[in-house]
Tab-separated table of all heavy atoms in Angstrom:
chain	number	residue	atom	x	y	z
A	1	PRO	N	59.591	60.676	87.871
A	1	PRO	CA	61.009	61.055	88.299
A	1	PRO	C	61.908	61.047	87.040
A	1	PRO	O	61.619	60.483	86.031
A	1	PRO	CB	61.382	59.991	89.296
A	1	PRO	CG	60.562	58.831	88.943
A	1	PRO	CD	59.287	59.369	88.379
A	2	CYS	N	63.093	61.682	87.234
A	2	CYS	CA	64.011	61.760	86.143
A	2	CYS	C	65.479	61.449	86.614
A	2	CYS	O	65.756	61.622	87.779
A	2	CYS	CB	63.990	63.105	85.471
A	2	CYS	SG	64.488	64.507	86.517
A	3	ILE	N	66.307	61.075	85.656
A	3	ILE	CA	67.722	60.859	85.883
A	3	ILE	C	68.348	61.432	84.594
A	3	ILE	O	68.302	60.777	83.486
A	3	ILE	CB	68.124	59.405	86.075
A	3	ILE	CG1	67.328	58.781	87.276
A	3	ILE	CG2	69.632	59.299	86.359
A	3	ILE	CD1	67.528	57.281	87.369
A	4	ASP	N	69.007	62.559	84.673
A	4	ASP	CA	69.756	63.141	83.550
A	4	ASP	C	71.202	62.847	83.700
A	4	ASP	O	71.823	63.101	84.763
A	4	ASP	CB	69.498	64.621	83.475
A	4	ASP	CG	68.036	65.013	83.146
A	4	ASP	OD1	67.265	64.087	82.743
A	4	ASP	OD2	67.703	66.191	83.231
A	5	ILE	N	71.826	62.308	82.643
A	5	ILE	CA	73.171	61.830	82.694
A	5	ILE	C	73.974	62.573	81.707
A	5	ILE	O	73.703	62.687	80.533
A	5	ILE	CB	73.298	60.334	82.421
A	5	ILE	CG1	72.395	59.544	83.435
A	5	ILE	CG2	74.756	59.878	82.502
A	5	ILE	CD1	72.243	58.075	83.043
A	6	HIS	N	75.154	63.115	82.148
A	6	HIS	CA	76.049	63.891	81.285
A	6	HIS	C	77.467	63.394	81.584
A	6	HIS	O	77.933	63.539	82.721
A	6	HIS	CB	75.931	65.389	81.540
A	6	HIS	CG	76.783	66.237	80.668
A	6	HIS	ND1	77.937	66.934	81.126
A	6	HIS	CD2	76.763	66.511	79.322
A	6	HIS	CE1	78.494	67.596	80.147
A	6	HIS	NE2	77.797	67.367	79.025
A	7	LYS	N	78.137	62.850	80.624
A	7	LYS	CA	79.498	62.320	80.741
A	7	LYS	C	79.575	61.322	81.924
A	7	LYS	O	80.556	61.335	82.708
A	7	LYS	CB	80.490	63.459	80.933
A	7	LYS	CG	80.630	64.358	79.688
A	7	LYS	CD	81.685	65.408	79.808
A	7	LYS	CE	81.812	66.147	78.484
A	7	LYS	NZ	82.824	67.254	78.576
A	8	GLY	N	78.513	60.522	82.062
A	8	GLY	CA	78.493	59.468	83.088
A	8	GLY	C	77.987	59.876	84.398
A	8	GLY	O	77.774	59.013	85.251
A	9	LYS	N	77.813	61.148	84.647
A	9	LYS	CA	77.409	61.715	85.990
A	9	LYS	C	75.941	62.117	85.890
A	9	LYS	O	75.482	62.608	84.924
A	9	LYS	CB	78.285	62.879	86.329
A	9	LYS	CG	79.750	62.563	86.546
A	9	LYS	CD	80.001	61.720	87.766
A	9	LYS	CE	81.483	61.562	88.055
A	9	LYS	NZ	81.741	60.836	89.288
A	10	VAL	N	75.274	61.959	87.048
A	10	VAL	CA	73.913	62.444	87.170
A	10	VAL	C	74.020	63.992	87.395
A	10	VAL	O	74.639	64.464	88.371
A	10	VAL	CB	73.111	61.872	88.311
A	10	VAL	CG1	71.737	62.448	88.550
A	10	VAL	CG2	73.001	60.337	88.057
A	11	LYS	N	73.390	64.718	86.508
A	11	LYS	CA	73.467	66.175	86.592
A	11	LYS	C	72.074	66.799	86.297
A	11	LYS	O	71.244	66.167	85.757
A	11	LYS	CB	74.429	66.743	85.569
A	11	LYS	CG	75.922	66.245	85.749
A	11	LYS	CD	76.825	66.875	84.695
A	11	LYS	CE	78.275	66.371	84.798
A	11	LYS	NZ	79.160	67.017	83.794
A	12	GLN	N	72.006	68.079	86.730
A	12	GLN	CA	70.864	68.882	86.293
A	12	GLN	C	71.428	70.086	85.538
A	12	GLN	O	72.202	70.889	86.030
A	12	GLN	CB	70.060	69.321	87.574
A	12	GLN	CG	69.152	68.288	88.091
A	12	GLN	CD	68.057	67.887	87.167
A	12	GLN	OE1	67.308	68.687	86.611
A	12	GLN	NE2	67.942	66.622	86.951
A	13	ILE	N	71.147	70.077	84.262
A	13	ILE	CA	71.707	71.137	83.372
A	13	ILE	C	70.536	71.948	82.708
A	13	ILE	O	69.517	71.384	82.432
A	13	ILE	CB	72.568	70.399	82.233
A	13	ILE	CG1	73.782	69.844	82.903
A	13	ILE	CG2	72.889	71.356	81.119
A	13	ILE	CD1	74.613	68.942	81.890
A	14	VAL	N	70.824	73.184	82.493
A	14	VAL	CA	69.858	74.028	81.728
A	14	VAL	C	69.912	73.537	80.295
A	14	VAL	O	70.944	73.759	79.632
A	14	VAL	CB	70.132	75.503	81.897
A	14	VAL	CG1	69.112	76.265	81.017
A	14	VAL	CG2	70.093	75.986	83.359
A	15	GLY	N	68.948	72.810	79.881
A	15	GLY	CA	68.962	72.120	78.551
A	15	GLY	C	69.293	73.014	77.446
A	15	GLY	O	69.965	72.601	76.480
A	16	SER	N	68.789	74.207	77.426
A	16	SER	CA	69.007	75.080	76.288
A	16	SER	C	70.414	75.583	76.101
A	16	SER	O	70.767	76.194	75.125
A	16	SER	CB	68.044	76.305	76.416
A	16	SER	OG	68.293	76.999	77.623
A	17	THR	N	71.302	75.231	77.149
A	17	THR	CA	72.678	75.624	77.056
A	17	THR	C	73.552	74.516	76.507
A	17	THR	O	74.761	74.656	76.381
A	17	THR	CB	73.242	76.056	78.423
A	17	THR	OG1	73.290	74.931	79.349
A	17	THR	CG2	72.385	77.144	79.008
A	18	LEU	N	72.984	73.272	76.235
A	18	LEU	CA	73.681	72.197	75.670
A	18	LEU	C	74.134	72.529	74.209
A	18	LEU	O	73.382	73.219	73.528
A	18	LEU	CB	72.898	70.881	75.728
A	18	LEU	CG	72.752	70.260	77.052
A	18	LEU	CD1	71.578	69.281	77.013
A	18	LEU	CD2	74.012	69.499	77.478
A	19	SER	N	75.272	71.992	73.820
A	19	SER	CA	75.749	72.248	72.474
A	19	SER	C	76.046	70.926	71.796
A	19	SER	O	76.512	70.006	72.456
A	19	SER	CB	77.001	73.186	72.488
A	19	SER	OG	77.602	73.212	71.212
A	20	ASP	N	75.879	70.911	70.527
A	20	ASP	CA	76.268	69.701	69.738
A	20	ASP	C	77.729	69.665	69.302
A	20	ASP	O	78.235	68.699	68.875
A	20	ASP	CB	75.404	69.604	68.417
A	20	ASP	CG	74.124	68.855	68.624
A	20	ASP	OD1	74.107	67.993	69.580
A	20	ASP	OD2	73.223	69.044	67.903
A	21	THR	N	78.395	70.799	69.584
A	21	THR	CA	79.802	70.903	69.240
A	21	THR	C	80.636	70.066	70.282
A	21	THR	O	80.598	70.299	71.457
A	21	THR	CB	80.332	72.327	69.285
A	21	THR	OG1	79.496	73.130	68.477
A	21	THR	CG2	81.781	72.380	68.842
A	22	LYS	N	81.400	69.091	69.728
A	22	LYS	CA	82.097	68.173	70.563
A	22	LYS	C	83.119	68.919	71.399
A	22	LYS	O	83.918	69.651	70.914
A	22	LYS	CB	82.808	67.084	69.693
A	22	LYS	CG	83.068	65.808	70.451
A	22	LYS	CD	83.457	64.732	69.518
A	22	LYS	CE	83.547	63.390	70.282
A	22	LYS	NZ	83.924	62.255	69.385
A	23	GLY	N	83.067	68.675	72.738
A	23	GLY	CA	84.062	69.259	73.599
A	23	GLY	C	83.748	70.709	73.972
A	23	GLY	O	84.576	71.323	74.732
A	24	ASN	N	82.663	71.292	73.501
A	24	ASN	CA	82.383	72.631	73.783
A	24	ASN	C	81.430	72.791	74.920
A	24	ASN	O	80.205	72.730	74.715
A	24	ASN	CB	81.791	73.310	72.471
A	24	ASN	CG	81.453	74.814	72.744
A	24	ASN	OD1	82.011	75.381	73.659
A	24	ASN	ND2	80.609	75.332	71.843
A	25	ASP	N	81.915	72.925	76.091
A	25	ASP	CA	81.088	73.080	77.271
A	25	ASP	C	81.198	74.490	77.853
A	25	ASP	O	80.766	74.728	79.007
A	25	ASP	CB	81.612	72.094	78.393
A	25	ASP	CG	81.146	70.609	78.030
A	25	ASP	OD1	80.317	70.486	77.192
A	25	ASP	OD2	81.794	69.684	78.591
A	26	SER	N	81.712	75.431	77.058
A	26	SER	CA	81.924	76.760	77.591
A	26	SER	C	80.607	77.433	77.930
A	26	SER	O	80.585	78.365	78.781
A	26	SER	CB	82.705	77.591	76.532
A	26	SER	OG	81.977	77.651	75.288
A	27	THR	N	79.533	77.142	77.243
A	27	THR	CA	78.240	77.783	77.527
A	27	THR	C	77.320	76.987	78.421
A	27	THR	O	76.179	77.343	78.707
A	27	THR	CB	77.574	78.080	76.197
A	27	THR	OG1	77.246	76.884	75.484
A	27	THR	CG2	78.368	79.062	75.336
A	28	LEU	N	77.819	75.791	78.823
A	28	LEU	CA	77.033	74.877	79.552
A	28	LEU	C	76.693	75.412	81.007
A	28	LEU	O	77.624	75.832	81.700
A	28	LEU	CB	77.690	73.570	79.717
A	28	LEU	CG	76.882	72.324	80.199
A	28	LEU	CD1	75.813	71.975	79.200
A	28	LEU	CD2	77.774	71.153	80.459
A	29	VAL	N	75.444	75.477	81.394
A	29	VAL	CA	75.058	75.852	82.676
A	29	VAL	C	74.567	74.595	83.478
A	29	VAL	O	73.567	74.044	83.149
A	29	VAL	CB	73.900	76.885	82.664
A	29	VAL	CG1	73.486	77.255	84.080
A	29	VAL	CG2	74.361	78.137	81.887
A	30	THR	N	75.366	74.258	84.489
A	30	THR	CA	75.080	73.072	85.362
A	30	THR	C	74.573	73.503	86.707
A	30	THR	O	75.310	74.193	87.427
A	30	THR	CB	76.365	72.226	85.523
A	30	THR	OG1	76.853	71.780	84.243
A	30	THR	CG2	76.028	70.994	86.309
A	31	ASN	N	73.395	73.076	86.935
A	31	ASN	CA	72.743	73.457	88.237
A	31	ASN	C	73.236	72.537	89.356
A	31	ASN	O	73.263	72.915	90.539
A	31	ASN	CB	71.200	73.427	88.162
A	31	ASN	CG	70.613	74.498	87.383
A	31	ASN	OD1	71.154	75.625	87.270
A	31	ASN	ND2	69.475	74.230	86.716
A	32	PHE	N	73.540	71.307	89.028
A	32	PHE	CA	73.915	70.285	90.048
A	32	PHE	C	74.574	69.114	89.485
A	32	PHE	O	74.235	68.715	88.331
A	32	PHE	CB	72.554	69.824	90.648
A	32	PHE	CG	72.767	68.731	91.742
A	32	PHE	CD1	73.183	69.004	93.042
A	32	PHE	CD2	72.394	67.440	91.399
A	32	PHE	CE1	73.366	67.987	93.933
A	32	PHE	CE2	72.567	66.389	92.342
A	32	PHE	CZ	73.033	66.738	93.584
A	33	GLU	N	75.541	68.589	90.162
A	33	GLU	CA	76.253	67.365	89.802
A	33	GLU	C	76.247	66.459	91.050
A	33	GLU	O	76.711	66.876	92.088
A	33	GLU	CB	77.591	67.596	89.303
A	33	GLU	CG	78.361	66.248	88.901
A	33	GLU	CD	79.693	66.530	88.279
A	33	GLU	OE1	79.923	67.563	87.672
A	33	GLU	OE2	80.583	65.649	88.370
A	34	SER	N	75.735	65.238	90.942
A	34	SER	CA	75.573	64.355	92.061
A	34	SER	C	76.803	63.474	92.206
A	34	SER	O	77.463	63.089	91.282
A	34	SER	CB	74.327	63.494	91.878
A	34	SER	OG	74.153	62.579	92.965
A	35	ASP	N	77.062	63.050	93.503
A	35	ASP	CA	78.043	62.027	93.711
A	35	ASP	C	77.411	60.659	93.868
A	35	ASP	O	78.100	59.698	94.074
A	35	ASP	CB	78.792	62.349	95.049
A	35	ASP	CG	77.930	62.399	96.273
A	35	ASP	OD1	76.653	62.278	96.083
A	35	ASP	OD2	78.446	62.539	97.370
A	36	LYS	N	76.103	60.578	93.578
A	36	LYS	CA	75.367	59.315	93.565
A	36	LYS	C	75.312	58.860	92.053
A	36	LYS	O	75.261	59.663	91.168
A	36	LYS	CB	73.961	59.439	94.122
A	36	LYS	CG	73.862	60.125	95.436
A	36	LYS	CD	74.550	59.284	96.570
A	36	LYS	CE	74.372	59.969	97.860
A	36	LYS	NZ	75.406	59.599	98.845
A	37	SER	N	75.262	57.533	91.888
A	37	SER	CA	75.220	57.005	90.554
A	37	SER	C	73.766	57.046	90.090
A	37	SER	O	72.814	57.158	90.800
A	37	SER	CB	75.677	55.586	90.494
A	37	SER	OG	74.805	54.669	91.183
């Protein structure tokens, strides 16, 4: 099993859309964000 965390939230993100540029989420593709911790 997995738990992927982005900015404190459990999310499922298309990893290849992540960027190292701080604050640059314009190209980020998020499939899911959970309300569970």
Side-chain angles (χ1 to χ4, degrees):
C2 64
I3 305 172
D4 292 349
I5 303 170
H6 182 251
K7 295 185 177 178
K9 298 287 188 179
V10 175
K11 299 182 183 180
Q12 284 293 308
I13 291 172
V14 179
S16 58
T17 66
L18 285 163
S19 171
D20 270 336
T21 306
K22 205 167 186 178
N24 180 21
D25 289 340
S26 59
T27 61
L28 193 67
V29 177
T30 301
N31 288 333
F32 176 77
E33 179 175 334
S34 179
D35 59 355
K36 309 296 182 203
S37 70

